[in-house]
Amino acid sequence: MRISVEMASQLLNEGNIVAVPTETVYGLAASLLQPEAIQSIFSLKGRPANNPLIIHLAEVSELANYTQSLPPSVFSLAADFWPGPMTLVLPIRETSIPYKVRAGLSTAAFRIPSHKAAHRLLQKTGPLVMPSANLSGKPSATSADHIEHDFGLSFPILDGGDCLGGLESTILLYQQEKWRVIRLGALPPECFDKTLGYVPLIDSATSSQPLCPGQLYRHYAPETKLTLLKEIPADGSGIILGYRDREYPSSYRPLYLGELSQPEKVAENLYTTLRTLDLDSIPSAWVDINVPHAGLWLTILERLAKASNG
Ligand code: TXA
Ligand code: MG
């Protein structure tokens, strides 16, 4: 069910969950003040309780309601990247944020989205927690149709059109006197060089206790079994997720993610393409990962690796 900003605000303030567009992916929103709605988000998504939620704000000044002793450069990062697809994990005053939201951690994740409808809504509702609006483990949702598919036709959706970024926010955490990327996202690590004076390192998330709890779990995965290929065997066949500006042997049936020359478009199309595989009941597909190892491609490769469970 498509609803207005006014209706979305009313539903959220009454303790309901609403799907909300952002510039990255759609979120499943609940008011930070509604503990039961927050609990329902976990059950609705099938989300593990130890995976905390991002708190979305309308203005930077709201941070002061929750945080303490902020790490350096928070306000420079905020000035350069908010509103936008950057999430900062910050130390908080534990009494200011429900235990469930932060999964018991003494930090919380914050983001100010730039999507106009999300921003107007946040101005009316105050802080909203929003995980991506998909069933846990499945590809994220970048259109209202995706949400209807996952949660049914009567689910309330603030329809903001297709998400143009198509990849979740980049998450930064301050540790040992440096900011680190703990989840790759819509902003490549190099983006932060100008603001910080260095490129934040990427936390490899190989440990059993990653800095970003969400990295523990399977993500973005369609039912289709995906196999990543660095080289395309000339004698192979089957469906291949590939690029329009590359030639494939005629024995393959390419399903195009976009063009190698336009990683932003590949990002925008990624989850829709993964969802199409399931809609078409395709049992298995190859994925061409012979792409540059830089910029937005790093995030795209990470999502494809997770989607293939590899
Ligand atoms: O673009 C986005 O970030 C989207 C839109 C809706 O804003 N949201 C999103 O939320 O991707 P979700 O729940 O799918 O991913 C949030 C990630 C999880 O991996 C979680 O573990 C991590 O943020 N996270 C949240 N709080 C954290 C904290 N205090 N410390 C470390 N990681 C945290
Ligand atoms: Mg997610």
Side-chain angles (χ1 to χ4, degrees), residues 45 47 131-132 134 140 168 183 219-220:
K45 276 185 64 98
R47 184 179 179 99
S132 50
N134 52 278
S140 307
E168 292 82 349
R183 178 181 73 182
H219 265 114
Y220 322 115

Side-chain angles (χ1 to χ4, degrees), residues 228-244:
L228 309 184
L229 291 179
K230 287 198 184 113
E231 277 178 41
I232 315 301
D235 56 352
S237 62
I239 291 180
I240 184 158
L241 299 191
Y243 312 95
R244 205 167 281 113

Side-chain angles (χ1 to χ4, degrees), residues 22 24-27 45 47 51-54 56 87 89 102 105 107-109 111 130-132 167-169 171 173 182-183 211-215 219:
T22 84
T24 60
V25 298
Y26 272 78
K45 276 185 64 98
R47 184 179 179 99
N51 194 6
L53 304 173
I54 299 175
H56 295 68
T87 294
V89 174
R102 53 191 167 83
L105 299 171
T107 56
R111 170 161 120 77
M130 280 202 247
S132 50
L167 296 171
E168 292 82 349
S169 60
I171 307 184
L173 172 139
I182 62 166
R183 178 181 73 182
L211 295 170
C212 179
Q215 301 295 72
H219 265 114

